[in-house]
Amino acid sequence: MAAAAIHRVVPAWTYRPGPDVSDSPPPGLVRAQALAKGAAAAGLASVKPSITEKDVELAVSAYLIDNDVEHVWTITNIGLGENTRVCFPTNPPTDLAAAERDVLMVDVHPITADGSWGDCTRCKVVGDYPEAEQALRDLEKLHYEILPKCRPGMPANELFGMTHDRLVAEGFVLLDLLANIGHSLTAGAAYLHQFIDAGNSTPMWGAWAIEPFAARGDIAVKVEDLVWFGRERCIVL
């Protein structure tokens, strides 16, 4: 005869309708995003006047290879000069060189050995360019004030709306070619639950890349982080 149980075995969280998603992100995703951030930082660290977009991509690739990353799930986007205004898979790094006053954009998408995907964008101002420094500070401030407002299961278009309102209020124009500020991300698939845009009411669960990309005047800037929309909380990776 089996011994009597000394306590009940119950679920780790109180049941409520909705997807059965972990409250904490998968370890593989955490590592993939740490590598994405490290690779983006390596790209920014390489920049100097006259360096080309292709040279920056090589610096990013060297970091990824040193950390056992063999593939990316879409191209590494590098933008200098006029190319900071477009961040899209059809625009690979070019021979365009950094000017004395410029902005560098680096968008990295590593795949780790266990198949996890990361996604991170960072920008850096080159030379003495106060207007660009201010635009980048303002976009990053906006971004990091919006992220704590993420809620598990919130509709994607709600997050888009609050972000877009802030962008407009601070003089920015959204540059994304598909008019969004991000997308869903899972191991093996981006965009499975579409984009963070005005028309997508999909509840946000799991990993989403949040990436406002905007211009103030002639200056384009972008920042991107992953957020895990867990069962009870959101975590910025």
Side-chain angles (χ1 to χ4, degrees), residues 9-10 36 58 98 113 126 130 138 140 171 180-181 183 191 195 223 225:
V9 177
V10 297
L58 289 176
V126 182
D138 289 346
E140 290 178 342
N180 68 73
I181 61 149
H183 54 84
Y191 323 120
F195 299 95
V223 62
D225 290 281

Side-chain angles (χ1 to χ4, degrees), residues 117-128:
W117 290 19
D119 196 351
C120 177
T121 305
R122 295 290 186 262
C123 286
K124 182 177 182 178
V125 176
V126 182
D128 182 16

Side-chain angles (χ1 to χ4, degrees), residues 21-231:
V21 63
S22 168
D23 204 37
S24 298
L29 178 67
V30 174
R31 172 165 169 72
Q33 186 61 6
L35 290 171
K37 293 165 73 172
L44 298 188
S46 73
V47 74
K48 58 186 178 182
S50 80
I51 197 171
T52 69
E53 293 175 350
K54 288 181 178 178
D55 292 333
V56 175
E57 183 190 28
L58 289 176
V60 170
S61 295
Y63 178 92
L64 294 174
I65 292 167
D66 286 347
N67 285 275
D68 301 319
V69 174
E70 297 182 359
H71 301 287
V72 290
W73 55 267
T74 189
I75 69 166
T76 298
N77 295 103
I78 309 294
L80 284 165
E82 63 184 14
N83 289 343
T84 59
R85 301 184 70 86
V86 180
C87 186
F88 211 69
T90 55
N91 290 70
T94 71
D95 291 317
L96 183 65
E100 291 292 332
R101 286 164 33 105
D102 212 332
V103 176
L104 169 67
M105 176 182 63
V106 178
D107 190 354
V108 190
H109 315 88
I111 302 175
T112 60
D114 71 351
S116 299
W117 290 19
D119 196 351
C120 177
T121 305
R122 295 290 186 262
C123 286
K124 182 177 182 178
V125 176
V126 182
D128 182 16
Y129 200 177
E131 302 91 340
E133 294 277 10
Q134 189 62 56
L136 181 55
R137 277 197 302 268
D138 289 346
L139 184 75
E140 290 178 342
K141 181 175 184 291
L142 178 160
H143 176 67
Y144 292 116
E145 287 177 355
I146 290 288
L147 292 186
K149 298 181 180 180
C150 292
R151 308 184 318 275
M154 73 184 299
N157 55 5
E158 180 183 340
L159 180 58
F160 174 84
M162 68 172 70
T163 304
H164 190 255
D165 287 348
R166 283 287 303 274
L167 289 170
V168 171
E170 298 191 23
F172 286 104
V173 175
L174 189 65
L175 288 179
D176 187 88
L177 294 178
L178 299 178
N180 68 73
I181 61 149
H183 54 84
S184 66
L185 187 71
T186 61
Y191 323 120
L192 188 64
H193 301 292
Q194 302 180 31
F195 299 95
I196 306 172
D197 61 27
N200 185 12
S201 60
T202 299
M204 300 173 76
W205 299 103
W208 289 74
I210 301 174
E211 50 179 341
F213 177 32
R216 180 186 284 161
D218 293 332
I219 299 166
V221 284
K222 182 181 178 184
V223 62
E224 178 181 24
D225 290 281
L226 285 188
V227 175
W228 179 257
F229 288 77
R231 184 75 175 175

